[in-house]
Amino acid sequence: MSVDSKKPREACCSKLKLFLVSLAFMYFAKAFGGAYMKSSITQIERRFDIPSSLIGVIDGSFEMGNLLVIAFVSYFGAKLHRPRLIGIGCLVMATGSFIVALPHFLQGPYKYETSMSHNTEANSTESILPCLSNHNLTEKDETPDVAAIQACEKAVGSSMWIYVFLGNMLRGIGETPSMPLGVSYLDDFSRQENTPFYLACIYTTGMLGPMVGFMLGSYLAKTYVDIGFVDLDSITITYKDSRWVGAWWLGFIVNGTVILLSSIPFFFLPKSLPKQGEEEEDGKKSTELASGPEQESFLPDETQDGEDKEKTVKFKEMVKDFVPSLKRLFRNSIFTMIILTNLFAVNGFVGMITFKPKFMEQIYGQAASRANFLIGIMNLPAVALGFITGGFILKRFKLGVVGAARVSISASLGAFCMLSLQGFFHCDNAEVAGLTVAYQGYPQVSYHHSTLLSPCNMGCSCSMKHWDPVCAYNGMTYASPCLAGCQTSTGTGKAMVFHNCTCIDTSTSPAANMSAVLGQCPRRSECDSKFKIYMALSVLGAFISACGGTPGYIVLLRSIQPDLKSLALGMQTLIVRTLGGIPPPIYFGALIDRTCLKWGTKQCGGRGACRLYDSNAFRLTFLGLIIGLYILTNMLWGVLYVKIVKRQKKLVLRDQAKKNGVEANRLSNGHASISIVKYKEDENMESTI
C-alpha cells in the first residue's frame, strides 16, 4: 500500500515542478524584455528625437495592451486550458519584441545633431574654422520652411516610433495570461504552506531577467546603433555624449528569441493536476501559513464547493456569472483596499524605474551604459534577495495574513526612509556656459537661449539651436565650438581639438590653454563620493522594499475566494497596470521635460530630445513625486492593517461562538438557536479577509 500510494504523489510533484520551472523561465524571459525596454528608453528617445512625455506613452503601451484583454483572459482563461493560454501569450510577446526592432531596418542610418561639418578624412590636413563656418545657420534658425520640414520628416521616417509603440503593446497583450493564470494554477495544485516559497522562487528567478536585461542594455548602449553599416572612425561622438544612440534594436531580437523558447513547455502540460499531497493528507488541509481559524475562516461558506461547480459550468453560464462575480469580488473591502494601496506603490515604482537611468545621468554625470550596468549588477540582485527573504520569513515563522501584513508595512516604511535620504546626496549642475553658469567674465542673466550669446562669440554668427558640446581645459563646457569662440581646429573624428577659443577666460592665468576638445566635461571629483552614497542607499532601499513583496502578495491571495482567485488577480493586474502602469511614465516624463535647459534639434529642424536638464529641478521633481506617492502608500497600508486586524478579531469571535454553540447543543437544544443566529449574522458580514 505504501509503495502504491507514493507513485501518484511523485508523478503529481514532477508535473507541478515542471510547471514551476516553466513559469519561472517565462517570468525570466518577460522580465528580461521589460527591463531591457526600460534600459533602452534613453536610446529610443534619442534615436527618434522625441521628448520624455512621448517616450512615457511608448513605455506605457505595454500596460495598454494588458488593459485590452486582462479581464477576459483572467475570467474565461481560468475555465480553459491555462498552461496552453500562457504558451500562446509567449508567442504573441515574441512577435511584439520583433516588431519593436523593426524600425531599425526600415529607416536610414542615424544622423546625429551637429553644429558644423566635421572633417572626417583621415589623411586630410584641412583645418576647420568653427567661428567662421556658421554664417548661414542664423537665417535657417529664423525662417524655417514648414513644407520642407514636413517633406524631410517623411523622408527620414521620424514617425517610425509607432512601430515601437505597437510592438510594445503586443508584448503587453501576450504577457497577460502569465500572472493571473500562472499563479492561480500553481496555488490551486500546491500545498498552501508551499505557495509563498514557490512564489518567492518564481519572482527570484524572474529577477534574473531584469539583471540580464539591464546588463545587455548597458553593453549595447556602448555599441553604436548602426554598427556594421557605418565607418565608426568617422563618428565624432562617444557613448558618453547625450547624442549617442546605442544598438537598442539588437536586444529586442535576442529577447524575442528567448521568449519564443520559453513558450514550448506550456503546450505539453495538462489542464489540471491533483492537489499536491492530497493522497497522504486524506482530505485534511495543511495550513502552516495560515492554520485553523486564520485561514479556514477567512473564506466564505457560500463558495466552499466553488471548484466542483467549475467542472460542470458552461460558457453561457460563465458569461452570465461574470458581472455577479465582479460585484461579489469588490464587496470585499480588504481586496479593494489592497488594490488602492498597490496603485500608489506601483505609480511610484514605475515612475522611478523608468527614469532612474536618466536621473543617474543628469544628477551624477553617469553615462547611460554605466547607469544600466549598475542597476543590473547592484539594485536587481538586492531586489531578488529581498523577494526570497520575504518568502523565507513567512515560511520560517509560519506567519498568517496579519503577520504578512506586518512584514509588508514594515518593508514599505523602511524603503521610504532610504528613499528620503537619497535626496540629501546629489551633485551640482554641470557647468555649461550660458545655460547653468555665466560665461567667465560676463554676468549670467537667466536660463534662456539668449544667454548663449556673449561678447566673446558675438562675431561668430553661431547657431543657438544645435548641441555639439566641447570641453575647455578650464573645466567649462560650451554648447558648441562656435559658441566657445574657437578660431581653428586640428585632428579628425573624436580626436579633434579646437584652438584659440576666445570665450575661455585667461584672466586668472594668462598662460592658460585656450583649447577645447569634443564632449562634455566630467563632473567634479566630489560627485563620485556622493554617487557612491546614493547607490548604497538605493540598493538597501531596493532590498527592504522587496522583502515586503511576497508577504503583500500572500495578503492578496488569502483575502479572496478560491473560485474568484483568477478573476481577482486579473482585476488587480488590470486596475494597477491601467492606473499605475500607464500614467506614471507620461506625467513623470511631462514634468521632467519642464526642467530641460537645452533641447536638441531634429535632422529636419524642430525640437528634438532634451540634451541638458537643470539637475536641481530634475532632482526635486523626480524624487518629490516618488516620495509623495510613497507617503500615500504608507498611509493606506496603515488603514489596511487596521482593517485586517479588526476582521481577524471578528473571525476569532465567530469561531469561538461556533464552538460554544456546538458544545451547548450537545448539552441542551435550547442553546442551539443562539449559535444559529450568530452564524447568520456572520454570513451578512464581510465574506473574506
Side-chain angles (χ1 to χ4, degrees):
M1 287 296 291
S2 61
V3 175
D4 293 336
S5 63
K6 286 182 180 178
K7 286 182 180 178
R9 184 173 66 86
E10 289 174 358
C12 164
C13 288
S14 64
K15 288 182 180 179
L16 186 66
K17 288 177 181 177
L18 175 60
F19 179 80
L20 178 65
V21 171
S22 303
L23 190 65
F25 182 58
M26 192 274 294
Y27 264 63
F28 163 82
K30 77 183 184 74
F32 167 31
Y36 184 76
M37 171 60 80
K38 297 292 185 186
S39 72
S40 301
I41 285 294
T42 302
Q43 311 302 322
I44 295 172
E45 180 180 339
R46 294 172 181 174
R47 181 63 182 96
F48 299 102
D49 260 328
I50 52 181
S52 296
S53 53
L54 182 53
I55 203 68
V57 174
I58 293 174
D59 185 65
S61 62
F62 183 89
E63 277 71 28
M64 295 177 193
N66 262 263
L67 170 64
L68 293 175
V69 296
I70 185 67
F72 300 101
V73 168
S74 302
Y75 183 69
F76 297 111
K79 321 291 182 182
L80 305 174
H81 198 300
R82 286 179 282 185
R84 196 169 295 165
L85 283 176
I86 296 172
I88 294 171
C90 290
L91 297 179
V92 176
M93 267 196 290
T95 304
S97 293
F98 294 136
I99 291 176
V100 170
L102 191 61
H104 174 75
F105 302 97
L106 298 180
Q107 60 187 154
Y110 172 59
K111 294 182 179 179
Y112 54 88
E113 170 193 4
T114 181
S115 63
M116 56 196 299
S117 177
H118 291 314
N119 181 25
T120 59
E121 296 180 13
N123 297 325
S124 176
T125 57
E126 179 185 354
S127 180
I128 295 176
L129 308 177
C131 188
L132 303 176
S133 62
N134 288 347
H135 286 290
N136 62 333
L137 291 177
T138 306
E139 293 80 16
K140 190 183 291 186
D141 288 349
E142 293 175 353
T143 57
D145 188 341
V146 177
I149 290 175
Q150 291 176 347
C152 176
E153 287 180 347
K154 289 181 181 179
V156 300
S158 61
S159 60
M160 284 287 180
W161 59 266
I162 294 174
Y163 285 94
V164 182
F165 177 89
L166 294 175
N168 202 36
M169 179 179 285
L170 204 59
R171 286 180 59 247
I173 292 173
E175 192 264 355
T176 305
S178 63
M179 198 280 289
L181 302 188
V183 173
S184 63
Y185 186 91
L186 188 67
D187 192 49
D188 284 346
F189 304 119
S190 65
R191 289 193 186 95
Q192 287 181 345
E193 72 270 18
N194 286 341
T195 301
F197 181 71
Y198 288 160
L199 288 177
C201 289
I202 289 174
Y203 288 130
T204 302
T205 307
M207 284 311 301
L208 296 175
M211 286 176 61
V212 175
F214 274 101
M215 296 291 280
L216 183 63
S218 172
Y219 174 75
L220 294 179
K222 290 184 178 180
T223 306
Y224 191 65
V225 60
D226 293 316
I227 185 171
F229 298 95
V230 298
D231 180 13
L232 296 182
D233 292 333
S234 66
I235 307 299
T236 60
I237 57 176
T238 67
Y239 67 90
K240 295 180 180 180
D241 196 288
S242 60
R243 295 164 293 168
W244 175 274
V245 175
W248 60 275
W249 53 275
L250 191 55
F252 288 104
I253 295 177
V254 174
N255 177 244
T257 305
V258 173
I259 294 176
L260 205 58
L261 293 174
S262 73
S263 68
I264 296 173
F266 292 104
F267 292 100
F268 298 96
L269 285 162
K271 182 178 180 180
S272 62
L273 294 170
K275 183 75 173 176
Q276 188 182 35
E278 67 178 2
E279 291 85 359
E280 65 178 66
E281 302 258 343
D282 293 326
K284 293 181 181 180
K285 294 185 177 179
S286 173
T287 55
E288 240 183 55
L289 172 67
S291 58
E294 193 171 2
Q295 172 60 24
E296 293 296 331
S297 58
F298 281 7
L299 305 178
D301 297 320
E302 57 176 296
T303 56
Q304 292 296 317
D305 59 343
E307 294 183 15
D308 295 332
K309 292 179 181 179
E310 279 187 47
K311 296 177 182 177
T312 58
V313 74
K314 295 181 180 179
F315 184 77
K316 288 183 179 179
E317 293 174 357
M318 289 195 300
V319 174
K320 291 179 180 178
D321 191 48
F322 182 66
V323 174
S325 295
L326 278 180
K327 290 180 179 178
R328 193 155 56 94
L329 179 64
F330 284 100
R331 276 200 296 264
N332 183 351
S333 64
I334 298 292
F335 173 75
T336 55
M337 200 68 193
I338 292 172
I339 296 291
L340 193 59
T341 304
N342 288 344
L343 195 58
F344 285 102
V346 170
N347 264 265
F349 174 77
V350 170
M352 177 176 64
I353 198 64
T354 302
F355 295 104
K356 189 179 181 73
K358 178 177 283 191
F359 178 80
M360 294 165 69
E361 272 188 87
Q362 295 297 324
I363 306 302
Y364 300 101
Q366 303 297 313
S369 59
R370 188 161 190 259
N372 288 329
F373 176 80
L374 291 173
I375 292 173
I377 203 70
M378 296 181 71
N379 284 79
L380 296 179
V383 172
L385 185 60
F387 274 125
I388 199 72
T389 301
F392 174 78
I393 290 172
L394 287 184
K395 189 172 178 66
R396 173 66 179 81
F397 297 101
K398 301 179 182 179
L399 299 178
V401 177
V402 176
R406 287 196 191 107
V407 175
S408 292
I409 193 171
S410 299
S412 182
L413 287 169
F416 169 74
C417 293
M418 294 299 103
L419 182 66
S420 300
L421 289 174
Q422 291 175 22
F424 295 100
F425 300 95
H426 61 89
C427 303
D428 295 328
N429 270 316
E431 293 185 351
V432 182
L435 290 175
T436 61
V437 294
Y439 281 90
Q440 292 183 356
Y442 302 96
Q444 174 76 20
V445 181
S446 61
Y447 288 159
H448 293 292
H449 289 308
S450 59
T451 60
L452 286 170
L453 290 179
S454 175
C456 65
N457 58 29
M458 196 67 74
C460 294
S461 300
C462 302
S463 170
M464 293 183 291
K465 282 190 174 182
H466 292 99
W467 177 254
D468 196 12
V470 293
C471 177
Y473 283 90
N474 63 354
M476 180 83 74
T477 299
Y478 296 85
S480 71
C482 183
L483 288 168
C486 300
Q487 305 296 317
T488 59
S489 69
T490 57
T492 59
K494 299 181 182 70
M496 190 177 293
V497 180
F498 301 91
H499 305 284
N500 300 322
C501 304
T502 57
C503 290
I504 298 178
D505 186 24
T506 60
S507 59
T508 56
S509 177
N513 196 327
M514 294 177 65
S515 301
V517 295
L518 288 169
Q520 278 185 253
C521 295
R523 296 294 180 95
R524 293 176 178 175
S525 58
E526 63 266 21
C527 189
D528 287 337
S529 59
K530 292 179 179 179
F531 177 66
K532 290 175 182 176
I533 298 173
Y534 162 78
M535 282 305 300
L537 292 171
S538 177
V539 170
L540 185 58
F543 169 76
I544 295 172
S545 178
C547 284
T550 303
Y553 210 76
I554 290 301
V555 173
L556 173 63
L557 285 176
R558 296 294 175 255
S559 69
I560 49 183
Q561 296 300 322
D563 62 319
L564 296 177
K565 195 176 296 178
S566 290
L567 179 62
L569 293 174
M571 292 309 300
Q572 187 249 7
T573 305
L574 170 66
I575 295 170
V576 170
R577 285 194 168 174
T578 302
L579 301 178
I582 298 175
I586 299 173
Y587 68 75
F588 266 76
L591 291 172
I592 287 171
D593 278 342
R594 296 174 66 88
T595 68
C596 184
L597 295 178
K598 183 69 177 75
W599 289 98
T601 304
K602 290 184 178 181
Q603 183 182 340
C604 302
R607 195 174 80 172
C610 185
R611 304 302 185 193
L612 182 72
Y613 293 88
D614 177 4
S615 64
N616 289 325
F618 188 117
R619 175 176 55 86
L620 292 173
T621 300
F622 182 71
L623 290 181
L625 277 172
I626 300 171
I627 289 173
L629 289 166
Y630 270 62
I631 289 173
L632 291 172
T633 300
N634 288 320
M635 291 172 63
L636 290 170
W637 257 121
V639 175
L640 178 60
Y641 178 73
V642 170
K643 290 179 72 68
I644 289 173
V645 171
K646 285 183 177 179
R647 180 57 178 158
Q648 172 64 15
K649 290 179 179 178
K650 291 179 182 178
L651 293 172
V652 171
L653 292 174
R654 186 185 77 171
D655 289 330
Q656 290 176 350
K658 283 183 179 180
K659 291 178 181 178
N660 293 336
V662 171
E663 291 176 359
N665 191 29
R666 290 175 181 174
L667 298 174
S668 171
N669 290 332
H671 294 282
S673 59
I674 298 175
S675 63
I676 293 171
V677 171
K678 286 189 175 183
Y679 180 76
K680 288 181 178 179
E681 287 175 354
D682 289 329
E683 279 189 332
N684 293 328
M685 292 169 60
E686 268 181 36
S687 61
T688 66
I689 180 167

